[in-house]
Amino acid sequence: MPNIMLPQRPFADTGLSISPIGLGTVKLGRNQGVKYPNRFELPDDKTASDLISQAKALGINFIDTAPAYGISEERLGPLLAGQRHDWVICSKVGEEFNGGVSSFDFTPEHTRRSIERSLKRLHTDCIDMVLVHSDGNDVEIIERYGILGELAELKRQGLIRAFGMSTKTVEGGLLAAAHSDCVMVTYNLNERGEEPVLDYCAANNKGALIKKALASGHIAFNQEPSGHIVTRNKIANKEQPQDPIQKSMDFLFQHPGVSSAIIGTINPEHLTSNVSKAMKALT
Ligand SMILES: NC(=O)c1ccc[n+]([C@@H]2O[C@H](COP(=O)([O-])OP(=O)(O)OC[C@H]3O[C@@H](n4cnc5c(N)ncnc54)[C@H](OP(=O)(O)O)[C@@H]3O)[C@@H](O)[C@H]2O)c1
């Protein structure tokens, strides 16, 4: 058993409590059309189950999936058997991924069908958190489809406990946060543009989840998201600490709006090390 354990903290006023690090599960379900630095194989069931047990032992109780993450939801149903109540599950609506291609449907009808399908795949009768999986047109999606209203109705009916949107723009993030429980935004050492959304969440008690906290792994290689390798001089000019993961954790948790950073690792050593560095940043 590891001797480090993350705390769990109230998630806005949803009644949920989540760990400041969440487990992202893209890499449990999909290895096509992803922007990670290295190719990888999907872990087998034993490896995935061990990873989930390890995460739980480290205090992680928050797991993020989506219909767009290939077979991630279908795998999590059986993988979480017998431990459903130990986890806060977040899934999404709006993006589908079939035959290696993404497509989007933000209509209320699709939203309801998608959640009913996720409930079956995840072997549960209520999903803790559901986010709109934006294609980038955040404001249009909210205004044209009334999707946040549909999610509010599904919450009222007890199919989900909390809802929000994974956004890609400041305007969309602010609008989504104003009309839901939470948002998921990109925030890392290389990409800070959505910080005003975090400021809003901190000031208004909204949940804020971070995606791509390590720039999808490029941070670890001192690379920009484009894959451009940062020069030695540029690295030398950066502030201490030089460990890019510790520096990322310090950066993330200095912002009072950050509820949880969802990190998508399938490497057990990275998982323990990330939690340990998050603990250090939080204390
Ligand atoms: N639109 C959306 O809603 C959206 C978009 C993107 C992501 N997300 C969610 O956010 C999660 C995280 O995003 P992400 O996976 O794109 O990015 P991320 O968490 O920034 O990076 C994950 C990558 O970083 C590597 N990594 C993790 N810890 C490391 C360490 N200590 N040292 C070196 N490399 C390390 C992982 O490789 P190893 O497996 O080798 O550790 C993996 O390739 C996803 O899994 C998903 O749940 C949501």
Side-chain angles (χ1 to χ4, degrees):
M1 281 283 287
N3 57 6
I4 41 173
M5 192 149 181
L6 287 166
Q8 291 169 10
R9 311 184 294 185
F11 185 60
D13 59 2
T14 62
L16 300 166
S17 280
I18 62 170
S19 47
I21 295 290
L23 185 63
T25 64
V26 171
K27 291 177 89 170
L28 294 188
R30 166 174 163 183
N31 57 7
Q32 294 172 282
V34 286
K35 294 177 183 161
Y36 296 112
N38 300 314
R39 292 170 59 83
F40 62 96
E41 297 299 322
L42 301 187
D44 63 22
D45 284 346
K46 166 81 169 65
T47 307
S49 176
D50 288 350
L51 191 81
I52 287 168
S53 299
Q54 182 192 352
K56 192 159 77 167
L58 289 164
I60 294 176
N61 76 331
F62 183 45
I63 195 159
D64 181 63
T65 183
Y69 299 167
I71 57 170
S72 169
E73 280 188 323
E74 285 99 322
R75 296 193 74 187
L76 287 182
L79 283 167
L80 298 181
Q83 50 177 310
R84 169 68 187 93
H85 298 294
D86 296 330
W87 291 96
V88 172
I89 301 178
C90 177
S91 192
K92 312 210 179 59
V93 291
E95 181 174 352
E96 300 286 317
F97 185 76
N98 291 308
V101 180
S102 281
S103 60
F104 296 88
D105 187 338
F106 299 106
T107 59
E109 299 73 27
H110 175 80
T111 298
R112 182 172 288 268
R113 276 199 306 274
S114 176
I115 287 179
E116 286 166 353
R117 183 185 61 189
S118 294
L119 288 167
K120 286 196 191 109
R121 287 175 171 174
L122 291 164
H123 299 184
T124 189
D125 55 8
C126 180
I127 305 173
D128 301 295
M129 221 181 284
V130 172
L131 308 179
V132 179
H133 213 156
S134 175
D135 62 1
N137 298 304
D138 303 335
V139 173
E140 190 199 339
I141 293 165
I142 295 169
E143 291 181 344
R144 179 166 166 200
Y145 298 101
I147 190 166
L148 296 178
E150 180 65 14
L151 289 172
E153 175 59 18
L154 290 161
K155 176 177 171 178
R156 201 188 60 74
Q157 293 176 9
L159 274 67
I160 64 179
R161 288 196 176 87
F163 69 96
M165 186 158 180
S166 175
T167 50
K168 299 192 180 187
T169 63
V170 170
E171 203 186 359
L174 294 173
L175 188 62
H179 295 283
S180 68
D181 301 305
C182 58
V183 289
M184 182 185 282
V185 300
T186 298
Y187 189 57
N188 61 52
L189 288 168
N190 294 343
E191 298 160 281
R192 307 174 188 206
E194 293 170 61
E195 193 168 274
V197 183
L198 296 178
D199 297 340
Y200 178 89
C201 289
N204 293 278
N205 194 29
K206 299 288 183 172
L209 307 167
I210 306 301
K211 58 188 170 188
K212 305 182 189 175
L214 304 178
S216 298
H218 296 279
I219 287 281
F221 298 96
N222 286 314
Q223 288 181 336
E224 305 289 358
S226 61
H228 168 70
I229 296 172
V230 177
T231 64
R232 282 182 189 284
N233 279 346
K234 194 168 172 191
I235 294 167
N237 288 339
K238 285 190 178 178
E239 291 171 12
Q240 297 293 329
Q242 288 300 317
D243 170 8
I245 306 296
Q246 185 63 62
K247 200 171 169 185
S248 295
M249 296 297 176
D250 292 349
F251 169 73
L252 288 171
F253 292 113
Q254 51 73 39
H255 197 293
V258 171
S259 308
S260 184
I262 301 153
I263 301 194
T265 183
I266 50 172
N267 178 318
E269 284 163 24
H270 288 168
L271 181 60
T272 300
S273 156
N274 293 344
V275 168
S276 161
K277 288 170 185 174
M279 288 284 278
K280 194 169 167 207
L282 285 160
T283 51

